[in-house]
Amino acid sequence: MLIEGKTGPWEIVIGLEVHAQVISKAKLFSGAATDFGAEPNTQVSPVDAAFPGMLPVINRFCVEQAVRTGLGLEAQINLVSVFDRKNYFYADLPAGYQISQYQRPIVGKGKITLDLPGGETREVGITRLHLEQDAGKSLHDQHPTKTYVDLNRAGVALMEIVSEPDMRSPEEAGAYLKKLRSILRYLGTCDGNMEEGSMRCDCNVSVRRPGEPYGTRCEIKNVNSVRFVMQAIEYEARRQIEVLEDGGTIRQETRLFDSGRGVTRPMRTKEHAHDYRYFPDPDLLPLVLDPAWVEEIRNSLPELPDAKKARFMREYKLSAYDAGVLAAERESADYYERVAKGRDPKQAANFVMGDLFGALNRLGVGIDRSPVSAENLGRLIDLVADGTISGRLAKDVFAAMVETGQDPATIVEERGLRQVTDTAAIEQAIDAVMAREAAKVAEYRGGKEKLFGYFVGQVMKATQGKANPAVVNDLLRKKLAG
Amino acid sequence: MTALTRLTIAEARAGLAKKEFSARELARAFTAAVERAKPLNAFITETPEKALEMADASDARRARGEALPLDGIPLGIKDLFCTKGILTTAGSHILDGFHPPYESTVTQKLWDAGAVCLGKLNMDEFAMGSSNTTSYYGPVESPWRRPGDNRPLVPGGSSGGSAAAVAARAVMAATGTDTGGSIRQPAGFCGIVGMKPTYGRCSRWGIVAFASSLDQAGPMTRTVRDAAIMLGVMAGHDPKDSTSAPLPVPDFEKALTGDVRGLKVGIPREYRVDGMPAEIERLWAEGVEWLKAAGAQPVEISLKMTKYALPTYYIIAPAEASSNLARYDGVRFGLRVEEGQSLDDMYEATRAAGFGAEVKRRIMIGTYVLSAGYYDAYYLKAQRVRKLIANDFKAAFEHCDVILTPTAPSAAFAIGEKSDDPIAMYLNDVFTVPVNLAGLPGLSVPAGLSSEGLPLGLQVIGRAFDEETVLRVGEVIEKAAAFTAEPAFTAG
């Protein structure tokens, strides 16, 4: 995407660094728990608080999660990786260093395929993924002059996933985050919850004239929703273009996104520029992975969104767009497949993406808490297919299902919604309508044929919608013809 | 009952087993000795009540017939080991009031084996020093004096409190830690036995870290046999320390067969350093003769990288220390000095007040060598040289089974004598530092007296995880040397 400036078109160049909290009961180097929302400083071991003499011991499960994620990103798994110390002083960093991976990360180059509107796709390179500890939290708003420190988060395992500067628009950045989140959730390695901070994003943004080398980039730290990421990039790109077009230069700096005002601003400049003095952590041996173990993890990977999307297109003949939407979340994909099994897959997709997603949206719940089970939605489709109810009535039945959670057959029976295919009953209704509307019948017969729809509507109304529309059409046409 | 304090661990073990005396009697004798040893300033914290309590428990166990390997043996603990509920200072002001909520693995193993705690021993601040003069709690005096000269001498360091207390018979034995010679050099200075095991043999969990890739705990005792007994309890794999070796612990005492026939003893020619007193040369040669007489075979070896060991050590150790000591920030434990308004103000005030000059010097060196632009030239290069030093030893051990060297290039010196010249001080560790860099076991055995009447030690270096041969050779030297000299000051 190009942005038109006062002096010509500009291209945005975006790279994202995502910090994804690893799903694990225990922290990366201690046995302390990781539950979100616990009372401050209740999930802290002496290791997390960096008490004297305490030593880190790597959590095997967190390593497995990182490998699983790497495999899900089709990335190279480094059988030998090294933990380094990143040294800096801050009150919520108890040891005065963060254990991270600097020169030798556990995962190397990989890729993510973005699903763009219109069913287009685009590949974005993954530079690396490494494991590191999270810091604690400084709470500045609890006391007028003091800062409180909560170490519950200190030591929690994070995966830092770094992309190549391959994205060219805020939309692509949004699609990247959605796809990454989808993959992580499929893998069960991160819950992707940006509001709770279990997924955080730093955006590297620069602009350039098309075809020219990369411009100077600014990093926008810690943006916490997909929407904000897109807004922040959009704002930042326009800001940079304005600076450049006014003859200024971009200073490489770290900025923050103010979501209230929709702007980015420079972070308070620290008096001291950080020199992190990385060096290998002498408390930890290099992390050596058994290739057989990596293969074991590879073989246990679930079908991932891209593969699932392709299969949906192939097996169910869905459009790229529909397949992409349904495959985005494991839960919705599973739901869809249960509905589609043995039924018309297109119709199943329409129900799931249209009626069901609409209802869930209105209710503000996820598919895992849907009031309509996949089995019941399937039965509803069956009732339409075997002519028990009309497609139009199916909407009403569905609404009742959302409300009551009941089986569609029960609703149809209890409310007497069974479709009328009895020609005698329908003929009777048609006769009544024609008798009442004699003038209109004359008009129709005089050539005003578009009145046909009106008659259909009247007959349907007379039968409370239960009449089989095909039968109504058929009989009505004959009778009107005289 | 004064005589009880003169017993070795092996003797006390036998006496307790034969019920010649109780653990309580032993503990009483030693708590009195600790009291008398006060002028040496060897202790930071004394725990006489705890000692009696533990002794009573020990006696009760023995009465039930459940005596443990070290039951009733009174020990002093270097104040670098975290001890649950007992002040732990690392000899530093910055750990003011720190009572750890946990017990270090090594001390836990000692207590689990029935040992009795007499208290926490003084040391150089954060184990940085070779004379025990950098402690916030004041210097430790060696119990030794030059005959006819009453100037107080250093006990060596950093485990100076441990060495002085063992030599003065104020504790039966003590724990030490050794990063560049901190067990062996003070053991040499004080005429006792000190053993630094192979890196990874003892868990570092719960020991205040100085330089993580070099630190190792070990025993400081009056005899080689006692060192073997104590090491057997201290050693062992600990899943809480990722660098501890998952190896079984041999019966070290059993290794003391006295038989060194056919063993090849390497004599590194590079250890004849400039300015080393002739008497140390002579003692070294005497050591070779003792082993030869016992049937071992001396071989000349070369450790070419020796001269790079000290500069390498003084890059790697401070680098790790600068990072390890970042946690002393006044936020969660220990000293906090609240000056100024900002967090940085508090850090600066706390660390300025909390750390002594030597610690600050090493933090600055360490920060410097890890800084952008200097990392490759210093830290990375030092790591490469370290590898070469380790390779040197590996190659040498293809031609010999142990290596014999002096422990230090001089005897103890007077307090204050070398304190304005850090480099002269660092030279104390010239023979011990390479062993840490290579991660090997090293043992210092008292072997003779200097012309000034001060103890001199010989060092036996072994292959990684071959403490058994080291101890066996050490015991043969000990017998041959028949070192019976005693310090001017004894508390028991």
Side-chain angles (χ1 to χ4, degrees), chain B residues 142-370:
Chain B
S142 169
W144 292 82
R145 290 285 188 278
R146 295 172 181 130
D149 181 348
N150 206 31
R151 273 182 304 166
L153 303 175
V154 301
S158 67
S159 311
S162 301
V166 173
R169 273 82 174 157
V171 298
M172 190 169 274
T175 61
T177 62
D178 191 316
T179 305
S182 279
I183 286 176
R184 291 157 292 159
Q185 183 257 16
F189 277 16
C190 288
I192 65 163
V193 173
M195 170 123 208
K196 181 201 96 75
T198 312
Y199 183 79
R201 181 60 98 180
C202 294
S203 168
R204 293 185 296 112
W205 193 87
I207 300 174
V208 176
F210 162 16
S212 313
S213 73
L214 299 159
D215 295 346
Q216 186 60 203
M220 299 179 75
T221 58
R222 299 233 312 283
T223 66
V224 173
R225 179 167 299 274
D226 283 5
I229 294 170
M230 204 166 146
L231 179 61
V233 173
M234 294 167 71
H237 177 238
D238 180 3
K240 290 189 285 188
D241 174 2
S242 311
T243 63
S244 104
L247 293 173
V249 181
D251 185 338
F252 295 120
E253 214 183 342
K254 231 182 214 157
L256 308 178
T257 59
D259 185 0
V260 294
R261 283 174 301 172
L263 273 189
K264 291 196 175 123
V265 181
I267 314 299
R269 65 173 84 93
E270 290 81 1
Y271 277 47
R272 292 191 177 86
V273 296
D274 286 344
M276 185 161 76
E279 59 187 9
I280 290 180
E281 275 270 4
R282 269 202 304 281
L283 182 74
W284 189 12
E286 209 174 344
V288 175
E289 287 310 313
W290 292 332
L291 291 175
K292 219 158 113 181
Q297 184 193 336
V299 290
E300 199 178 37
I301 58 162
S302 173
L303 297 170
K304 288 197 183 62
M305 303 304 289
T306 300
K307 64 177 170 195
Y308 301 114
L310 272 180
T312 300
Y313 175 84
Y314 277 99
I315 289 168
I316 291 172
E320 293 180 9
S322 70
S323 174
N324 282 336
L325 271 59
R327 66 189 58 199
Y328 306 102
D329 56 7
V331 174
R332 299 168 314 287
F333 46 76
L335 182 73
R336 176 190 291 187
V337 180
E338 293 192 26
E339 267 171 28
Q341 287 301 305
S342 71
L343 181 64
D344 284 349
D345 292 341
M346 185 189 84
Y347 285 156
E348 283 169 16
T350 300
R351 289 166 67 85
F355 291 136
E358 184 61 29
V359 171
K360 284 177 187 159
R361 175 165 25 240
R362 298 204 197 185
I363 290 175
M364 283 191 285
I365 293 171
T367 305
Y368 180 80
V369 300
L370 289 175

Side-chain angles (χ1 to χ4, degrees), chain B residues 40-45 77-80 89-92 119-125 132 134-141 155-156 158-163 165 175:
Chain B
L40 299 178
N41 195 31
F43 280 83
I44 291 173
T45 303
I77 302 299
K78 186 180 186 180
D79 211 15
L80 203 61
T89 69
S92 182
K120 303 294 294 288
L121 294 159
N122 205 344
M123 53 179 287
D124 278 305
E125 186 178 5
N132 216 122
T134 70
S135 170
Y136 174 70
Y137 295 88
V140 174
E141 277 184 24
S158 67
S159 311
S162 301
T175 61

Side-chain angles (χ1 to χ4, degrees), chain A residues 279-451:
Chain A
F279 75 108
D281 191 328
D283 286 331
L284 293 161
L285 302 172
L287 183 59
V288 181
L289 306 180
D290 177 359
W293 187 58
V294 174
E295 281 318 298
E296 223 176 276
I297 298 170
R298 191 193 299 276
N299 294 332
S300 75
L301 289 187
E303 185 185 34
L304 290 172
D306 287 335
K308 201 165 283 233
K309 178 182 166 188
R311 182 167 62 79
F312 281 8
M313 290 168 70
R314 200 175 57 239
E315 242 174 62
Y316 301 124
K317 310 280 181 261
L318 297 183
S319 70
Y321 176 79
D322 287 2
V325 169
L326 288 169
E329 293 283 340
R330 195 172 182 168
E331 291 78 8
S332 53
D334 289 350
Y335 188 103
Y336 167 70
E337 289 208 88
R338 288 208 301 279
V339 175
K341 196 174 177 196
R343 302 187 176 97
D344 174 8
K346 184 64 197 162
Q347 201 176 11
N350 287 345
F351 260 107
V352 171
M353 291 173 63
D355 303 279
L356 181 73
F357 283 2
L360 295 178
N361 247 338
R362 276 194 304 281
L363 295 172
V365 299
I367 200 159
D368 50 323
R369 288 176 49 214
S370 166
V372 178
S373 70
E375 289 64 35
N376 280 345
L377 184 54
R379 286 186 194 114
L380 178 65
I381 293 171
D382 293 343
L383 291 177
V384 177
D386 69 12
T388 307
I389 55 173
S390 67
R392 204 182 69 81
L393 265 185
K395 306 271 177 201
D396 300 340
V397 175
F398 181 80
M401 288 164 74
V402 170
E403 213 170 285
T404 63
Q406 272 178 320
D407 181 284
T410 312
I411 293 169
V412 167
E413 280 316 315
E414 280 180 4
R415 306 192 181 190
L417 297 176
R418 188 172 284 275
Q419 180 165 261
V420 179
T421 42
D422 173 359
T423 47
I426 294 173
E427 267 183 87
Q428 210 173 13
I430 291 173
D431 291 343
V433 167
M434 284 174 70
R436 196 174 70 222
E437 305 277 3
K440 287 215 163 64
V441 171
E443 277 179 54
Y444 176 86
R445 287 182 174 153
K448 207 170 175 189
E449 285 186 12
K450 61 182 174 189
L451 275 171

